[in-house]
Amino acid sequence: MSKVVEEMNRRMLRARDAMDRAYAEPLDVAALARLTHLSPSHFTRTFRATFGETPHRYLQRRRVERAMALLRRTDRSVTEICVDVGFGSLGTFSRTFHDIVGESPTAYRARGAAPAAPVPTCFAMAWTRPRG
């Protein structure tokens, strides 16, 4: 791997780590691009080439993953969870959740209410990770 490719991968990892840390905060492509010292359009193209999805879709999926955990582990309302994970609209949250998970947040919570059999954490994480 060339030094240029290696440096670009580091920049993309830096941006992805920032999204993982601050997923609930308002993040925009311009701010993430500044973090990587790239233009917003070049950042978006490079991020997609590196990780297989756009920065916006990655952030949505990360927020939905966190919402899935909160729906499984807490009895807080869907609206509270929506706001806590960084969505500004319950409608957008519900639509995005359904697109990624394949069911509504309420249906996901109802289906996940039964206690799961003990399995290694790596299997549980792979099984519950959204596919979208």
Side-chain angles (χ1 to χ4, degrees):
M1 180 182 315
S2 74
K3 294 269 186 201
V4 173
V5 172
E6 188 175 335
E7 175 59 27
M8 191 59 68
N9 286 343
R10 280 196 184 108
R11 290 179 185 191
M12 293 301 108
L13 286 170
R14 193 175 310 132
R16 192 180 71 178
D17 289 346
M19 285 189 267
D20 287 342
R21 272 191 314 275
Y23 66 88
E25 297 174 18
L27 293 172
D28 62 352
V29 171
L32 294 167
R34 281 192 301 274
L35 181 67
T36 60
H37 306 290
L38 298 172
S39 72
S41 58
H42 189 66
F43 168 72
T44 299
R45 284 191 305 273
T46 306
F47 190 95
R48 184 175 191 152
T50 304
F51 298 114
E53 61 189 342
T54 65
H56 178 70
R57 188 60 172 183
Y58 178 82
L59 185 58
Q60 282 184 323
R61 189 172 49 77
R62 180 68 183 99
R63 288 173 172 169
V64 167
E65 286 174 352
R66 181 64 183 142
M68 290 168 67
L70 291 171
L71 287 165
R72 282 191 309 268
R73 294 186 181 111
T74 69
D75 59 352
R76 297 171 56 215
S77 74
V78 173
T79 304
E80 288 176 319
I81 291 172
C82 159
V83 172
D84 287 348
V85 299
F87 282 93
S89 157
L90 182 59
T92 302
F93 169 68
S94 294
R95 186 185 70 246
T96 303
F97 192 96
H98 190 277
D99 288 348
I100 292 173
V101 179
E103 59 188 337
S104 71
T106 305
Y108 178 82
R109 174 179 268 167
R111 184 177 55 79
V119 295
T121 304
C122 60
F123 286 110
M125 290 178 70
W127 181 259
T128 59
R129 185 179 179 114
R131 304 284 184 234

